[in-house]
Amino acid sequence: MKYYYSIFFFSILFVLNTNAQIDTAFWFVAPEVWEGHDDRPIYLRFASLNDPAEITIKQPANEFFPTQTINLNANDAQSINITEWIDIIENKPVNQVLNYGLYIKSTAPITAYYEEASSNNPDLFALKGKNALGTEFFTPFQSLLNSNYSQSKAGIDILATEDNTLIQINPTNNLIGYTANSSFTISLNKGQTYSLRSEYTLSELRPSGTHITSNKPISVTMSDDSILGNAYYGGNAYDLLGDQLIPVSKMGHEYIAIKGELNLDDKIYITASENNTNIFLGGTFITN
């Protein structure tokens, strides 16, 4: 259902200072996608710019993941199939400290993507390099489409980039094992990960606006697995949505949304990071 609809996630603050996703270092934690609906193959996809690049892929906390190396010529593109290690890449089970964080290092600037490339449930995650790392995040989620299976719920996956990282989470709706508005703390070392899942399949109970803070830089991935798209075209197809988030320090206050090709209108979801945030569309006040 990759081409039937798309949903845009936006977050609002006061500064915009990003450089797309061109970088020489990337941290990423991959969400679990339910195997029963299709979760493979999975790929890492890379493209070089004006210089050749040697790329290494590691899991700093996991000695059982073999380091992978790719060499790109200038203005080249290559992919690596990492399905063989999917059981130590997808971040599961929930509520456990895991060692599944990916670290990608390049000798020259590149772009990097993680693709869940199954036929039934695909999505492409743009890795954002240093723009994905921070110490404060708010999670945006869509609120229109339900998950189709009880095994496929909205997820929040967290990755530490340094040892002795303390992370505080305040969920806005119930997560599996954690109640809404009850703050809790987890501790991770470099390369370790933690997975959180919504308790519900209903879209209106997604943990939108969940607040995450840490004492050292982390990376956060959000996902919405196997959401039913009948609100858009009347069928029973369903698809994965997800993104690597940017922290509060990289958020902005002006965005341009690109129109897609939906049967109905595209949806824009806005998450405020401060109280009394006024939203305008083309200069016209919309909401607070």
Side-chain angles (χ1 to χ4, degrees), residues 34-272:
W34 183 47
E35 184 178 2
H37 181 206
D38 208 357
D39 69 342
R40 60 199 66 196
I42 55 174
Y43 293 91
L44 287 169
R45 305 197 186 275
F46 304 106
S48 60
L49 303 175
N50 295 330
D51 298 308
E54 181 180 87
I55 302 166
T56 56
I57 304 155
K58 300 180 179 181
Q59 283 190 333
N62 186 7
E63 63 181 8
F64 298 106
F65 180 82
T67 299
Q68 304 295 301
T69 303
I70 297 178
N71 287 285
L72 271 64
N73 296 321
N75 303 307
D76 191 10
Q78 290 188 41
S79 299
I80 178 171
N81 188 327
I82 53 175
T83 312
E84 178 180 353
W85 304 287
I86 191 170
D87 289 334
I88 57 172
I89 290 177
E90 286 195 342
N91 199 37
K92 64 179 186 294
V94 300
N95 302 347
Q96 292 187 27
V97 175
L98 303 168
N99 298 320
Y100 298 165
L102 291 168
Y103 178 63
I104 299 162
K105 181 66 175 176
S106 174
T107 57
I110 59 170
T111 60
Y113 295 84
Y114 174 85
E115 183 171 9
E116 203 288 277
S118 67
S119 298
N120 293 330
N121 203 21
D123 202 6
L124 191 67
F125 294 74
L127 278 58
K128 298 180 175 66
K130 60 180 173 293
N131 291 321
L133 304 183
T135 58
E136 184 179 16
F137 294 80
F138 286 92
T139 60
F141 284 93
Q142 59 87 27
S143 58
L144 176 68
L145 306 174
N146 299 329
S147 298
N148 198 53
Y149 303 107
S150 61
Q151 300 93 333
S152 303
K153 298 173 181 175
I156 301 168
D157 293 282
I158 301 170
L159 163 63
T161 66
E162 297 182 21
D163 289 340
N164 302 313
T165 299
L166 297 178
I167 303 157
Q168 185 171 342
I169 300 122
N170 189 354
T172 53
N173 271 307
N174 286 0
L175 304 173
I176 295 173
Y178 301 101
T179 57
N181 302 313
S182 60
S183 180
F184 60 95
T185 301
I186 60 174
S187 177
L188 300 177
N189 286 324
K190 182 178 180 179
Q192 290 188 326
T193 60
Y194 201 83
S195 179
L196 301 164
R197 286 274 170 169
S198 173
E199 188 174 312
Y200 311 104
T201 59
L202 296 177
S203 60
E204 62 266 27
L205 297 177
R206 294 287 192 271
S208 302
T210 290
H211 191 207
I212 302 169
T213 59
S214 63
N215 65 332
K216 297 179 180 180
I218 60 173
S219 169
V220 180
T221 304
M222 59 77 58
S223 62
D224 219 345
D225 187 12
S226 302
I227 61 171
L228 184 61
N230 57 353
Y232 278 106
Y233 76 107
N236 290 319
Y238 28 89
D239 196 14
L240 170 70
L241 300 177
D243 199 8
Q244 185 177 42
L245 301 185
I246 59 171
V248 167
S249 61
K250 296 293 183 181
M251 291 183 187
H253 59 259
E254 184 174 3
Y255 291 84
I256 297 174
I258 301 172
K259 182 74 175 73
E261 294 185 0
L262 300 176
N263 293 344
L264 300 177
D265 291 338
D266 294 285
K267 308 298 179 186
I268 298 172
Y269 290 87
I270 298 170
T271 302

